[in-house]
Amino acid sequence: METMTHGRVYAVVDRGEVKSVVYFDNQSKRSKQIDLADHHGMSPHTHVGYLHNEGSPNGKPMRLSTDERKMVDRVLSDWEQYKQGKT
């Protein structure tokens, strides 16, 4: 996945619900993805790297950092406001 905008964060929406939050680096390549669905007993969870888990110490998804949790909360709040027509 690549984008024309450096350092962007996108929310992926499927069937009216946010499925993931995707971060892109300064080379416009995906750097990590936060999936909101359960995987390896974690929900939400972070996949690090362009191919999905190459940046993870054990090759598996990781728990969210404090900053990632804040981003997910913000995305979900903004999405709910959008759906209610408040943006």
Side-chain angles (χ1 to χ4, degrees):
M1 298 175 82
E2 297 162 7
T3 177
M4 297 300 288
T5 307
H6 304 304
R8 280 294 263 226
V9 177
Y10 291 91
V12 177
V13 176
D14 183 32
R15 296 183 181 109
E17 296 301 324
V18 176
K19 297 298 180 187
S20 60
V21 178
V22 185
Y23 289 74
F24 290 85
D25 64 18
N26 289 330
Q27 286 75 44
S28 301
K29 304 276 187 183
R30 182 179 61 209
S31 59
K32 68 180 168 182
Q33 178 173 320
I34 300 170
D35 290 332
L36 302 184
D38 185 67
H39 188 66
H40 289 283
M42 288 184 278
S43 176
H45 59 277
T46 302
H47 292 281
V48 178
Y50 191 77
L51 299 175
H52 225 40
N53 284 327
E54 68 272 17
S56 172
N58 62 4
K60 293 183 180 179
M62 299 183 303
R63 298 196 186 284
L64 271 58
S65 69
T66 300
D67 287 341
E68 291 167 341
R69 169 49 58 195
K70 287 178 186 176
M71 178 61 80
V72 168
D73 291 345
R74 178 181 173 190
V75 166
L76 293 176
S77 175
D78 287 351
W79 181 244
E80 286 304 315
Q81 287 183 16
Y82 171 80
K83 290 191 322 185
Q84 294 173 12
K86 295 181 179 178
T87 59

